[in-house]
Amino acid sequence: DAKTTQPPSMDCAEGRAANLPCNHSTISGNEYVYWYRQIHSQGPQYIIHGLKNNETNEMASLIITEDRKSSTLILPHATLRDTAVYYCIVRVRNNFNKFYFGSGTKLNVKP
Amino acid sequence: EAQVTQNPRYLITVTGKKLTVTCSQNMNHEYMSWYRQDPGLGLRQIYYSMNVEVTDKGDVPEGYKVSRKEKRNFPLILESPSPNQTSLYFCASSLRGNSPLHFGNGTRLTVT
């Protein structure tokens, strides 16, 4: 599975949109982009995933570039409870055994 | 409520004393997996199971055992714990490979 590169930390003002980038330049055609987050030392929480089209759910939006080499997770109205480490992962669909979490981005939402 | 339940949440033990961390899911998921999380190393997979009686090694399986005798349970066994197994452990499950992982709340293990 391809590896990902994320900035180690980002700040965001409460109520503003948080845009978290992820680089996955070696992604292959059958690899999906997944986003998870981890609040303190709780279990990681699934946010969203996509293959090539932009995706939106009740938590966030995922924008994938046309060449699929990078993506952006958007939290439209960040709250203090969104402070967490966000992980971008690429993974082959139905590949059970590989799920590299990497170091993620620590998002600090500030009042 | 759909969930992955790990027990115990905290465990302090001594070197060499066998222990088991239990993991149970109530979502009829086929796939289950164990991870450990250490500062600076992220989440690393220990073992995974694609279904009952089917298990395989992840990236860091040394010193651990698992079993999958029932679909809902996937215990992690440390036959002879050592201090380098001090870590935060997570169990996770998913319906199938194309489904998101659901994680438990973690077990913080300290081996002295």
Side-chain angles (χ1 to χ4, degrees), chain A residues 97, chain B residues 45-50 54-59 61 66 74:
Chain A
N97 59 328
Chain B
Q45 190 176 49
I46 303 171
Y47 268 95
Y48 66 97
S49 169
M50 290 193 283
V54 181
T55 63
D56 208 346
K57 297 177 181 179
D59 296 315
V66 293
F74 191 46

Side-chain angles (χ1 to χ4, degrees), chain A residues 36-46 101, chain B residues 1-9 21-27 29 31-35 37 43 74 88-94 100-108:
Chain A
Y36 283 76
R37 73 179 182 184
Q38 186 175 25
I39 298 172
H40 298 299
S41 293
Q42 298 176 20
Q45 176 190 22
Y46 165 78
F101 273 78
Chain B
E1 179 189 353
Q3 59 185 1
V4 178
T5 304
Q6 295 179 230
N7 280 297
R9 291 293 308 277
V21 183
T22 64
C23 175
S24 179
Q25 50 91 6
N26 61 359
M27 297 169 279
H29 284 174
Y31 174 80
M32 297 186 74
S33 181
W34 277 102
Y35 295 84
Q37 186 171 33
L43 276 150
F74 191 46
L88 178 59
Y89 290 86
F90 289 104
C91 180
S93 72
S94 68
L101 283 170
H102 296 256
F103 283 83
N105 281 328
T107 295
R108 189 169 292 279

Side-chain angles (χ1 to χ4, degrees), chain B residues 4-101:
Chain B
V4 178
T5 304
Q6 295 179 230
N7 280 297
R9 291 293 308 277
Y10 300 92
L11 179 58
I12 301 174
T13 189
V14 297
T15 299
K17 185 176 181 181
K18 181 180 178 180
L19 66 91
T20 299
V21 183
T22 64
C23 175
S24 179
Q25 50 91 6
N26 61 359
M27 297 169 279
N28 202 35
H29 284 174
E30 290 186 352
Y31 174 80
M32 297 186 74
S33 181
W34 277 102
Y35 295 84
R36 61 178 288 174
Q37 186 171 33
D38 304 289
L41 296 176
L43 276 150
R44 294 180 293 168
Q45 190 176 49
I46 303 171
Y47 268 95
Y48 66 97
S49 169
M50 290 193 283
N51 215 322
V52 175
E53 302 292 0
V54 181
T55 63
D56 208 346
K57 297 177 181 179
D59 296 315
V60 288
E62 294 77 21
Y64 304 95
K65 288 175 59 178
V66 293
S67 69
R68 187 91 183 272
K69 297 178 181 176
E70 306 167 278
K71 198 170 189 177
R72 62 183 293 127
N73 295 322
F74 191 46
L76 180 69
I77 303 158
L78 285 72
E79 294 271 4
S80 182
S82 63
N84 65 10
Q85 293 177 299
T86 291
S87 187
L88 178 59
Y89 290 86
F90 289 104
C91 180
S93 72
S94 68
L95 184 61
R96 286 183 180 88
N98 59 349
S99 305
L101 283 170

Side-chain angles (χ1 to χ4, degrees), chain A residues 71-91:
Chain A
S71 61
T72 301
L73 178 74
I74 301 172
L75 307 179
H77 306 286
T79 70
L80 298 179
R81 286 179 291 183
D82 291 322
T83 293
V85 177
Y86 288 77
Y87 297 98
C88 169
I89 303 146
V90 293
R91 181 186 184 204

Side-chain angles (χ1 to χ4, degrees), chain A residues 6-27:
Chain A
Q6 299 176 253
S9 66
M10 293 182 64
D11 291 336
C12 178
E14 188 178 19
R16 304 296 295 269
N19 297 278
L20 294 95
C22 179
N23 182 292
H24 32 80
S25 58
T26 60
I27 193 170

